[in-house]
Amino acid sequence: MLTLGAVSVLFLIILLWTRTSAQIRYSIAEEVEEGTVVGNIAKDLGLEKNTLKERGCRVVEGSTESLFHVNQNDGLLYVNRVIDREQVCERSSVCLINLKTVLENPLEIHYVTVEVLDMNDHSPTFLTKESRLEISESVLPGLRLQLQAAQDPDVGQFSVQEYKLSPNDHFRLEVKDRGKDGKMPILILLKTLDRETKKNHKLLLSAVDGGKPSKSGTTTINVDVLDVNDNMPVFSEDAYSVRVNENAPIGTTIIRVNASDLDEGSNGDIIYSFGSNVNSRIRELFRVDPDTGEIIVQNLLDFELEESYEIDIQASDKGSAPLRTDKSVLVSIVDLNDNIPQIEITSFSKAIPENARLGTTVALISVIDEDSGLNGKVICSFIEDVPFTLSPSTQDNMYSIITKSALNREKQATYDVRIIAKDGGVPSLSSEKSIAIAVSDVNDNSPEFSESPYIFYVTENNSPGAVVFSVRASDRDEGSNANIVYHIFTDGRENVKVQSLSLSINSETGDIVALKSFDFETLKTFQFQVVATDSGTPSLSNNVTVNVFILDQNDNAPVILYPLSSNGSAEGVEEIPRNVNAGHLVTKVRAYDSDIGYNGWLLFSLQEVTDHSLFSLDRYTGQIRTLRSFTETDEAEHKLVILVKDNGNVSLSATAAVIVRLVEPKEAFAASDAKSAAKVEEEDNVTFYLMIILGAVSVLFIISIIVLIAMQCSKSTDYTSKYLQETNYDGTLCHSIQYRSGDKRYMLVGPRMSIGSTIVPGSHTNTLVLPDRRMASEEVRP
């Protein structure tokens, strides 16, 4: 019992064939002029005329010159050249020309049969205009002599229909119908001949065809009356028949006929020959040994040209008036498997889309084997495993190549399909043919970025309008389906953010341009998305996250926080008692730098001092202390100019002036009280500003930590970057940040570094490489 799936497949095959095949029949007379209309194919097949040219309607007739063609403008079938029926269909009673009409896109094949009707354009003709017969006077009435038949290439009623003999007293004519070999005239003796009365009789034989008006041909028969030879040769068999293989070797004896004659001497000697009615084709293929009666092959026999031959053999004695007897030999040709199947591509799609549905027809092929029976029964198959199958059609030896599994151009763009056609003969003959089937692209692949996510490091103060980084995507499709256009994804909040960053992307190359400079002190990191869209229909797209980290440059000079005078200049006055001991803290110069790392690492130095033996300046903290106790000879006022310098490659600096006044202890205490109150108020203001700055830095730091933690959670350790706050600093504001990228760990350092850190000599990025417990060696970020 058929399953539901098998029934569905069978229904699909029947439906496909009914849509792709039809058969119509026309008839025309032979010898019509070139350009004669045979029929309206478009109308008879129900096709729209305006689609014939688009679908490539054409006539396929194999390798021979086409006799017909279809006009793609009006859908009419025209005669290409004058058709001679006798040439096209030699010796055939019905002349049928089978055409295949093919329409492309979608594939359809229609069978058209054109019957060429015979015209009475040939007259009957005899091989010779005159022949001679010898008849002994002793021959009794009733003698039957087969005469030479007339030949007429026309068929049917236009062939020879009757023979006429001129009026005479001794002979009459009888006509024997030999089927496909036509009608044969037989001369019958009515009464005994008398040589002494008349030794020669001249007869006129006429052959008339059935045309209207009829046509005819004549030949003259001269009958010579001989003296007595009264025994005719007699064949040993009533009928002879033989079977011989086609392609039998030349010289093969296929049969031997034998005849005897009761007469003696020369009247009993037999000579064998072809009958007078044997045509030239038989004489080309066979010969008769005149002495032995053997019929010998003298040319190659081909079953596909003729399946049998009826050969008239004549046995004649050697009497002075020879007597002859005719006998027919039926030679049947046995078909051998001697024709290799020929594969013909009837119709073929140039390319098939990779998303074609299962069962889509790719090509129509026909197989021709001129052998018969099992020798001409052909089975086709694929030599290799391909995503196609051969589906036989209702017409013999016709196949459709259809898809049996899904196609993927990205895996294989072309298939070299090898078809083998094998017949059922023993031994079997086969042939191969290769068909290159191209798979056309369909937009079924989205663009893929080379990295995901992207991480870029950009130095602040970049040149506006210059390319800062690039993203790249590829598409496995081809043509327009692989043409990629880039744009930055924006929606609402993201749109405002990207506009504020003034980023622009080249839609063709993926190069991203910053239209303004980045400022590390304002923005340390940001994130956005880039969308890559192909040009297919419909288009496919993909997006990638881009993480950008701004690298600091030394673009901010140190700022003095203390001392500050009332007019805003970095100058202050400190009063200390004369009796302080060595190491007394005079004051502390406070400064900060908006940069980080080396660029924000501040060092203090005494640029100018009245007495180098009195004061010292801590290089890192900016604390001014006494080196010794004051003496009476020391000046009452000292001026110290402090240089505050960062550690950038091109360092920036600022100076502060501190005037130290030595007062007596009592004055110092009084001044100290008054100054304390003022100082408290001043320090309150400074503390307020410091809190605001530190709060802003902390908020930025917390945001960076959250972003980096989210990034770490969404990807592997190799792409993780962490920011950590460095706390080992006492003095200048701290901007030290640590981060990790891949197997490397980096730190943007402040004025003081962690124990064990290493300063990279010649670094232009103010970056330190920290020892990593997971790594045995240290690397420096390039």
Side-chain angles (χ1 to χ4, degrees):
M1 181 177 291
L2 293 175
T3 63
L4 181 59
V7 173
S8 299
V9 172
L10 180 60
F11 177 76
L12 179 61
I13 292 174
I14 295 173
L15 180 61
L16 175 64
W17 182 250
T18 57
R19 292 183 60 190
T20 59
S21 66
Q23 187 163 0
I24 55 179
R25 182 164 176 164
Y26 301 110
S27 61
I28 61 168
E30 67 172 337
E31 307 289 344
V32 296
E33 294 181 356
E34 179 180 345
T36 300
V37 175
V38 179
N40 192 331
I41 286 184
K43 178 181 178 181
D44 295 338
L45 293 179
L47 302 175
E48 294 293 334
K49 293 181 181 179
N50 55 4
T51 64
L52 296 179
K53 180 175 292 186
E54 180 181 350
R55 298 184 62 185
C57 181
R58 59 189 175 88
V59 173
V60 179
E61 289 190 75
S63 60
T64 60
E65 182 181 356
S66 178
L67 299 175
F68 306 91
H69 76 276
V70 176
N71 189 312
Q72 296 180 351
N73 293 319
D74 56 19
L76 298 179
L77 181 66
Y78 291 89
V79 176
N80 258 1
R81 58 187 175 88
V82 176
I83 300 174
D84 186 351
R85 183 190 183 282
E86 286 69 37
Q87 181 180 356
V88 175
C89 302
E90 182 181 4
R91 301 185 67 187
S92 296
S93 59
V94 179
C95 183
L96 300 178
I97 301 176
N98 295 314
L99 310 176
K100 284 181 278 189
T101 305
V102 175
L103 292 94
E104 309 277 359
N105 302 318
L107 296 174
E108 289 185 25
I109 181 168
H110 302 278
Y111 294 88
V112 178
T113 300
V114 180
E115 180 180 5
V116 181
L117 302 178
D118 191 26
M119 300 287 292
N120 192 21
D121 55 344
H122 294 87
S123 299
T125 58
F126 292 89
L127 292 178
T128 60
K129 292 295 183 181
E130 187 173 356
S131 61
R132 185 170 295 277
L133 294 176
E134 294 179 339
I135 301 176
S136 174
E137 63 179 349
S138 63
V139 174
L140 298 176
L143 173 67
R144 300 168 64 88
L145 296 175
Q146 184 171 299
L147 302 178
Q148 175 187 353
Q151 304 295 322
D152 192 336
D154 296 324
V155 297
Q157 64 177 0
F158 300 134
S159 63
V160 175
Q161 297 297 312
E162 62 177 336
Y163 290 90
K164 297 179 180 179
L165 190 64
S166 59
N168 66 92
D169 297 328
H170 291 84
F171 300 94
R172 73 177 179 86
L173 191 66
E174 181 179 301
V175 179
K176 182 181 179 181
D177 194 347
R178 294 280 296 270
K180 68 177 182 178
D181 290 329
K183 293 179 170 58
M184 303 297 173
I186 298 175
L187 186 67
I188 300 176
L189 182 64
L190 293 176
K191 64 181 181 178
T192 303
L193 300 175
D194 186 358
R195 183 176 181 278
E196 287 69 31
T197 303
K198 190 175 183 178
K199 64 179 181 181
N200 181 268
H201 296 268
K202 192 170 185 178
L203 306 174
L204 183 65
L205 178 65
S206 301
V208 182
D209 64 21
K212 292 183 180 180
S214 63
K215 295 184 178 181
S216 62
T218 61
T219 183
T220 301
I221 302 174
N222 293 305
V223 180
D224 295 328
V225 182
L226 303 178
D227 280 341
V228 176
N229 179 18
D230 57 352
N231 286 291
M232 298 176 60
V234 178
F235 283 94
S236 60
E237 301 286 342
D238 292 334
Y240 289 95
S241 64
V242 67
R243 291 169 59 85
V244 60
N245 292 336
E246 66 173 331
N247 298 328
I250 295 174
T252 300
T253 298
I254 61 174
I255 195 172
R256 179 177 179 176
V257 296
N258 184 44
S260 60
D261 195 316
L262 297 177
D263 294 323
E264 294 182 353
S266 61
N267 291 331
D269 294 337
I270 306 297
I271 296 176
Y272 300 95
S273 63
F274 283 120
S276 60
N277 201 47
V278 173
N279 60 42
S280 60
R281 176 60 178 164
I282 293 178
R283 295 176 186 272
E284 290 176 2
L285 296 175
F286 306 96
R287 67 181 178 88
V288 179
D289 189 299
D291 298 323
T292 64
E294 292 177 340
I295 300 177
I296 302 170
V297 176
Q298 67 175 5
N299 210 332
L300 290 179
L301 304 176
D302 191 349
F303 175 86
E304 286 69 43
L305 293 180
E306 194 72 37
E307 298 181 9
S308 65
Y309 298 93
E310 189 171 359
I311 306 175
D312 291 330
I313 302 297
Q314 188 177 84
S316 174
D317 61 28
K318 296 182 180 179
S320 57
L323 298 179
R324 294 185 292 270
T325 302
D326 294 305
K327 184 67 67 173
S328 293
V329 178
L330 179 61
V331 180
S332 298
I333 309 301
V334 179
D335 184 36
L336 296 180
N337 193 23
D338 60 340
N339 289 284
I340 298 175
Q342 300 296 322
I343 302 173
E344 175 187 312
I345 307 300
T346 301
S347 188
F348 179 58
S349 298
K350 296 180 181 178
I352 181 169
E354 59 180 320
N355 65 344
R357 293 183 299 177
L358 300 185
T360 299
T361 300
V362 179
L364 296 178
I365 65 171
S366 59
V367 184
I368 302 173
D369 194 319
E370 295 181 351
D371 294 319
S372 62
L374 288 176
N375 296 333
K377 189 68 175 177
V378 182
I379 297 176
C380 287
S381 61
F382 291 130
I383 296 178
E384 300 167 344
D385 185 25
V386 291
F388 307 99
T389 187
L390 283 168
S391 175
S393 69
T394 56
Q395 293 285 335
D396 288 341
N397 297 337
M398 285 289 298
Y399 293 86
S400 300
I401 299 178
I402 62 176
T403 57
K404 72 173 182 180
S405 58
L407 304 175
N408 189 338
R409 187 204 64 83
E410 287 69 40
K411 290 184 178 180
Q412 189 165 352
T414 59
Y415 291 90
D416 188 15
V417 178
R418 296 168 59 202
I419 304 171
I420 182 170
K422 184 180 295 185
D423 62 29
V426 179
S428 176
L429 298 179
S430 63
S431 65
E432 294 182 15
K433 192 174 188 67
S434 294
I435 301 176
I437 299 177
V439 181
S440 61
D441 187 45
V442 173
N443 192 27
D444 57 350
N445 289 281
S446 300
E448 296 180 359
F449 285 93
S450 58
E451 297 180 31
S452 182
Y454 281 95
I455 297 178
F456 296 108
Y457 298 92
V458 181
T459 304
E460 67 172 332
N461 300 324
N462 53 292
S463 300
V467 176
V468 289
F469 42 79
S470 299
V471 297
R472 294 289 185 271
S474 59
D475 197 311
R476 292 192 298 163
D477 295 319
E478 65 177 3
S480 61
N481 295 332
N483 292 335
I484 297 175
V485 177
Y486 302 90
H487 73 273
I488 297 175
F489 177 74
T490 56
D491 64 338
R493 175 171 49 83
E494 292 293 329
N495 186 30
V496 175
K497 178 180 178 181
V498 172
Q499 287 182 352
S500 65
L501 295 172
S502 297
L503 295 177
S504 175
I505 188 169
N506 188 313
S507 61
E508 296 180 356
T509 64
D511 294 337
I512 297 176
V513 175
L515 302 179
K516 69 177 185 178
S517 297
F518 295 118
D519 185 5
F520 175 82
E521 287 70 39
T522 304
L523 180 67
K524 293 179 173 55
T525 179
F526 62 89
Q527 181 185 83
F528 63 96
Q529 288 187 327
V530 174
V531 179
T533 305
D534 60 32
S535 301
T537 304
S539 62
L540 300 177
S541 62
N542 198 359
N543 62 313
V544 69
T545 299
V546 180
N547 297 300
V548 181
F549 297 95
I550 309 301
L551 300 179
D552 184 44
Q553 278 191 326
N554 191 26
D555 59 345
N556 290 282
V559 177
I560 305 298
L561 296 178
Y562 182 83
L564 289 174
S565 64
S566 59
N567 59 5
S569 62
E571 184 176 293
V573 178
E574 295 291 337
E575 293 182 348
I576 60 173
R578 275 185 174 272
N579 60 351
V580 295
N581 297 322
H584 176 74
L585 177 62
V586 176
T587 188
K588 180 178 181 179
V589 178
R590 292 182 176 86
Y592 81 96
D593 195 316
S594 299
D595 298 318
I596 65 169
Y598 281 149
N599 298 329
W601 184 7
L602 303 182
L603 296 178
F604 301 84
S605 62
L606 282 172
Q607 186 177 24
E608 182 182 334
V609 62
T610 54
D611 189 344
H612 289 281
S613 65
L614 281 177
F615 303 99
S616 67
L617 176 65
D618 189 286
R619 178 177 178 81
Y620 301 106
T621 64
Q623 292 179 349
I624 300 174
R625 295 181 181 271
T626 58
L627 289 174
R628 60 178 176 79
S629 300
F630 294 101
T631 64
E632 294 296 332
T633 59
D634 290 326
E635 295 290 337
E637 185 174 293
H638 299 270
K639 183 177 182 181
L640 286 72
V641 178
I642 293 88
L643 177 67
V644 183
K645 181 174 65 172
D646 60 30
N647 277 269
N649 287 333
V650 178
S651 63
L652 302 176
S653 62
T655 58
V658 176
I659 298 174
V660 180
R661 292 177 182 171
L662 303 181
V663 296
E664 295 302 325
K666 291 181 180 181
E667 295 177 6
F669 290 140
S672 175
D673 291 338
K675 191 174 181 181
S676 286
K679 200 168 194 180
V680 167
E681 183 178 356
E682 181 184 348
E683 288 185 354
D684 287 343
N685 292 332
V686 172
T687 302
F688 176 73
Y689 293 127
L690 284 174
M691 289 177 64
I692 293 175
I693 294 172
L694 289 173
V697 172
S698 299
V699 169
L700 291 174
F701 170 73
I702 292 172
I703 293 173
S704 300
I705 290 296
I706 292 173
V707 170
L708 292 174
I709 290 174
M711 290 171 56
Q712 184 178 11
C713 293
S714 62
K715 65 178 183 176
S716 61
T717 307
D718 291 340
Y719 292 91
T720 302
S721 298
K722 289 185 177 181
Y723 278 81
L724 303 172
Q725 186 175 2
E726 175 62 53
T727 58
N728 297 327
Y729 171 70
D730 59 350
T732 305
L733 295 180
C734 177
H735 301 282
S736 175
I737 296 176
Q738 297 182 19
Y739 63 92
R740 179 184 301 281
S741 177
D743 294 332
K744 300 177 183 179
R745 188 181 178 204
Y746 306 99
M747 181 177 75
L748 305 176
V749 297
R752 291 195 177 183
M753 300 171 291
S754 302
I755 299 174
S757 63
T758 305
I759 300 176
V760 181
S763 171
H764 297 286
T765 56
N766 304 325
T767 305
L768 301 180
V769 180
L770 300 182
D772 197 330
R773 297 177 182 177
R774 300 176 301 172
M775 301 177 60
S777 62
E778 298 179 350
E779 296 185 31
V780 178
R781 174 178 172 81

